[in-house]
Amino acid sequence: ILNGGVAEASNYEVIFDGPVQLVDLSYPYLQLRARHRNLRVNLFHNRVDSGDSYFLAFQGFPESPFVDRSRNWGAQVTHDSRFGPDLRLSYGADLKTLNERTEGTLNGANEENDTSTQIGAFVLGSWKVDPKLELLAALRADYNDRSNRQFIGPRLGAVYRPSTSQALRVGFNRTGSVGNVGFQDVSF
């Protein structure tokens, strides 16, 4: 499945650095998803072009340019295996790269040093104890080259389904952030 498009904006927004007047901002995106039996692949590319946008005068700061021409690429591969009717194992890996291009208007002194790549992998096991109870356990590992940090996050969960239209979920996880690339998460 291939999809894509362009989101456009010309409006007022408040972002982390203050109020911005967006003028002809465009956000083109492209995604390719493929599936073969229990194997799934997801590829994407997003970019932004801030057009003629600018920061509004705010708290003593004068009006100034807002430039963002960043690029974001990613790939994810996942696979499922079943061991009988009640045990399932899912595993996969992902890669994401963010190349921020803001001409110093957002990231200041770090403008030439803000490209980051994150690599992650996960494994998720689920066991249907009976038709109403499912137990889950997962482990996710991530590495970010910008922060040079690794993180391993375990997760445990349970889903109780008293009826076909209701589910009670409980879980525990230890998560963390290794950077600002985005995070494809194992969800229960």
Side-chain angles (χ1 to χ4, degrees), residues 122-139:
F122 77 92
V123 61
L124 166 68
S126 67
W127 174 36
K128 287 195 176 194
V129 178
D130 64 44
K132 293 186 176 190
L133 180 63
E134 182 177 9
L135 300 178
L136 304 126
L139 188 64

Side-chain angles (χ1 to χ4, degrees), residues 26-30 45-49 68-72:
S26 66
Y27 185 84
Y29 62 93
L30 185 64
H45 174 66
N46 304 324
R47 33 181 267 204
V48 64
D49 183 345
D68 192 354
R69 290 173 177 60
S70 299
R71 308 289 186 257
N72 189 5

Side-chain angles (χ1 to χ4, degrees), residues 68-81:
D68 192 354
R69 290 173 177 60
S70 299
R71 308 289 186 257
N72 189 5
W73 297 270
Q76 180 182 42
V77 177
T78 61
H79 189 267
D80 291 330
S81 294

Side-chain angles (χ1 to χ4, degrees), residues 138-142 149-156 171-177 183 185 188:
L139 188 64
R140 177 162 179 97
D142 286 285
R149 289 185 60 206
Q150 299 173 20
F151 189 83
I152 297 177
R155 295 144 195 236
L156 296 171
F172 163 81
N173 67 63
R174 182 176 174 263
T175 61
S177 177
F183 204 88
D185 218 10
F188 295 131

Side-chain angles (χ1 to χ4, degrees), residues 12-21 54-59 64:
Y12 171 79
E13 289 285 334
V14 177
I15 64 168
F16 56 91
D17 282 349
V20 175
Q21 179 62 55
Y54 57 92
F55 284 104
L56 298 169
F58 179 67
Q59 295 183 344
S64 60

